[in-house]
């Protein structure tokens, strides 16, 4: 993974570690790895509001000082910020969705909205917002955000596959086939290609 996660501590150790990392983040706001460590620590402590605040402040700083951003040992970022930040934050969203409860889904949704505020062209956060509505069985809203994600990145197999799945829920198999065929044609990810082929077979591909 992209985020160097801290060691797990007991509650008292976590509080001490959080205090230490908080000071470090304030002293070195350009060090994205420190911010991610602290955010992950708050997640381990089940303190979403502190995690959200940490990430929001870091994204605000990153937005104004993109060229100053650094990684471990003050090295340059391992990849461009517009890819590294939203894709790193995706792991936090996945954590909350994985808890399979409404309050956690709301946390994931808030993080997705935060990412979109600063990185409106990255498709993953829109896909996360679609997932939020998928879990609520709100297929129309889920489709709306997947279509936006598709506009941002027309060749993203995850998004294309999910659009096909939503169209199936909306009882539009003919339209779903179009998206599954695109996944197969792009042939970028074995998991999505396998799924798309299976769905096309079930639908009776021409």
């Amino acid at each position: 993974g992209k985020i160097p996660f801290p060691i797990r501590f007991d509650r008292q150790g976590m509080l001490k570690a959080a205090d230490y990392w908080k000071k470090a983040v304030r002293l070195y706001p350009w060090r994205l790895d420190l911010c991610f460590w602290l955010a992950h620590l708050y997640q381990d402590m089940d303190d979403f509001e502190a995690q959200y605040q940490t990430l929001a402040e870091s994204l605000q700083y990153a937005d104004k000082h993109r060229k100053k951003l650094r990684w471990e040992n003050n090295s340059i970022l391992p990849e461009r910020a517009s890819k590294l930040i939203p894709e790193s934050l995706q792991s936090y969203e996945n954590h909350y969705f994985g808890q399979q409860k409404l309050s956690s889904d709301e946390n994931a949704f808030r993080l997705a909205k935060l990412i979109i505020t600063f990185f409106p062209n990255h498709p993953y956060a829109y896909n996360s917002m679609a997932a939020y509505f998928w879990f609520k069985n709100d297929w129309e809203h889920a489709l709306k955000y997947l279509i936006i994600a598709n506009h941002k990145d027309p060749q993203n197999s995850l998004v294309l596959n999910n659009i096909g799945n939503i169209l199936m829920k909306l009882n539009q198999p003919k339209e779903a086939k179009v998206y599954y065929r695109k996944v197969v044609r792009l042939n970028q990810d074995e998991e999505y290609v396998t799924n798309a082929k299976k769905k096309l077979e079930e639908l009776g591909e021409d």
Side-chain angles (χ1 to χ4, degrees), residues 179-191:
Y179 288 92
Y180 290 136
R181 284 189 197 116
K182 283 181 183 178
V183 174
V184 174
R185 200 161 55 242
L186 284 168
N187 197 26
Q188 287 175 339
D189 188 297
E190 197 180 329
E191 183 190 344

Side-chain angles (χ1 to χ4, degrees), residues 95 97 108 170 200:
H95 165 81
F97 280 136
L170 289 166
L200 286 167

Side-chain angles (χ1 to χ4, degrees), residues 4-57:
F5 293 140
I7 302 159
R8 289 181 180 274
F9 302 102
D10 59 27
R11 185 76 190 175
Q12 202 55 39
M14 282 180 165
L15 286 167
K16 280 184 185 170
D19 191 49
Y20 170 81
W21 289 116
K22 198 157 53 171
K23 284 174 185 165
V25 168
R26 280 185 186 148
L27 281 170
Y28 311 106
W30 52 86
R31 284 281 302 276
L32 276 185
D33 60 308
L34 298 181
C35 161
F36 291 155
W37 275 51
L38 180 58
H40 190 78
L41 195 51
Y42 282 135
Q43 182 172 286
D44 279 351
M45 294 166 72
D46 202 23
D47 189 345
F48 175 74
E49 292 305 328
Q51 180 189 35
Y52 182 90
Q53 188 63 29
T54 298
L55 292 169
E57 286 172 7

